Amino acid sequence: MTIPAERLDRIAHRFAELEARLASGTLEGEAFVAASRDYAELEPIVRLAEKVRTMRAELSELETLDDADPDMKALAEEEIMRLRNALPEAERQLAIAMLPRDSADARPAMLEIRAGTGGDEAALFAADLYRMYERFAAEQGWRVEPVSMNASDIGGFKEIVANVAGSGVFAKLKFESGVHRVQRVPVTESGGRIHTSAATVAVLPEPDEVDVQIEDRDLKIDVYRASGAGGQHVNTTDSAVRITHLPTNTIVTCQDARSQHKNKEKAMQVLRARLYEAQRDQAQGAEAEARKAMVGSGDRSERIRTYNFPQGRVTDHRIGLTLHKLDEVLAGPGLGELVDALIAEDEAKRLAALGE
């Protein structure tokens, strides 16, 4: 995809304006934060644009070079060939960098994993998925903090919700939403038969408080005594919190912290993320056709991946990619290969849609 020189000039001009504003010392507060964010987003695009501009100029100069020296002419032709081969890839990288970004890509995310069909085995698989994401997050330099969990009797999770904080969390994890299926012999199966179980993953961008306005009158807040493991406080204090958002009937519970205040704070964090995602879905409803270019819908009901233990493989059904490195994927590092492939496929499809 060839990007017109005029558009490269506009990018350079906008970047120079941002540099001047930031250097002026006149920006404060939110204005400074916004300009700094725009500068950080534009800087890698400007670097790629300058690379393309330089390569184009060099190629144009060499193609018009009229040198009688055979050696110089041979060197020029060699350099022309190199630039002609390299320029399309540089322009493709620039086009990808210039693709419209999801406004939520840079945000932290709320990760929700729930056991699906399969009983205890599904709960154990949900725990495996949580550990996979936890290890992947550690590799990315992100921080994972459990918000609420409902453990099963044999060590799995019926449900776990965690906040994942760091740079570009939602951009990398958003394609993980959907149904993850596992095929293996359950630890609870004495006959050695392979069972199929499933867990549901939802990745929601975490909004700022200003992004979602929640009125106190729209909330019903119940407190009760927590149940399960956790020490003496569990059954002696009303520390667990259930919040119902009355207009949408969205219900969030949290009982993991020792204090009622902390549980309310965590529950509100989850509630904001769910309401924000609902707002995003509603706003994007008119763009359904454009979203078909994406890798999957991100719908939590969509079966996206199968983890087959007997064959040691992981298959992502949206892009038809199979990796025979199940242990590495579940350990965290191998997940990066799937994540990168999904992002690359999404970028390629959006680029193709722009060219149509």
Side-chain angles (χ1 to χ4, degrees), residues 183-200:
Q183 295 173 326
R184 65 184 177 188
V185 178
V187 294
T188 56
E189 172 62 52
S190 58
R193 294 175 299 171
I194 296 173
H195 284 221
T196 298
S197 303
T200 299

Side-chain angles (χ1 to χ4, degrees), residues 25 200 208 231-232 354:
T200 299
D208 297 323
Q232 291 182 344
L354 284 177

Side-chain angles (χ1 to χ4, degrees), residues 20 58 79 93 95 109 124 140 158 167-168 240 244 274 301:
E58 290 177 358
E79 183 64 7
Q93 290 178 3
L124 290 172
Q140 305 298 310
K158 296 177 182 176
S167 176
T244 303
R274 292 183 183 172
S301 66

Side-chain angles (χ1 to χ4, degrees), residues 126-304:
D128 290 338
L129 290 177
Y130 177 72
R131 284 189 289 270
M132 175 183 74
Y133 291 122
E134 196 174 35
R135 292 160 182 161
F136 178 70
E139 282 206 333
Q140 305 298 310
W142 301 338
R143 186 181 73 256
V144 179
E145 180 185 3
V147 173
S148 68
M149 64 180 72
N150 182 3
S152 69
D153 295 335
I154 61 172
F157 291 127
K158 296 177 182 176
E159 175 183 298
I160 181 164
V161 179
N163 172 254
V164 187
S167 176
V169 172
F170 185 67
K172 287 203 169 185
L173 291 185
K174 62 184 176 183
F175 295 124
E176 293 301 301
S177 290
V179 176
H180 295 239
R181 187 177 66 169
V182 63
Q183 295 173 326
R184 65 184 177 188
V185 178
V187 294
T188 56
E189 172 62 52
S190 58
R193 294 175 299 171
I194 296 173
H195 284 221
T196 298
S197 303
T200 299
V201 174
V203 180
L204 314 178
E206 186 177 349
D208 297 323
E209 288 194 29
V210 295
D211 293 322
V212 179
Q213 300 296 325
I214 301 177
E215 302 290 343
D216 289 343
R217 64 175 180 271
D218 291 336
L219 299 178
K220 179 187 177 186
I221 301 176
D222 301 306
V223 295
Y224 57 97
R225 293 187 179 181
S227 60
Q232 291 182 344
H233 78 285
V234 166
N235 295 314
T236 59
T237 61
D238 292 335
S239 59
V241 174
R242 180 191 301 110
I243 299 179
T244 303
H245 185 249
L246 299 173
T248 61
N249 198 34
T250 302
I251 301 173
V252 177
T253 61
C254 187
Q255 66 172 26
D256 300 297
R258 288 179 175 270
S259 76
Q260 183 186 119
H261 175 76
K262 189 65 176 177
N263 281 327
K264 180 182 176 183
E265 182 182 309
K266 288 185 173 185
M268 285 298 295
Q269 189 180 22
V270 176
L271 178 62
R272 274 193 296 271
R274 292 183 183 172
L275 294 180
Y276 181 59
E277 179 69 0
Q279 288 179 10
R280 279 166 48 85
D281 285 345
Q282 186 176 8
Q284 293 171 355
E287 303 172 12
E289 288 301 316
R291 288 164 63 195
K292 286 181 181 178
M294 292 175 56
V295 179
S297 66
D299 192 305
R300 65 189 69 186
S301 66
E302 178 186 11
R303 190 194 71 175
I304 62 168

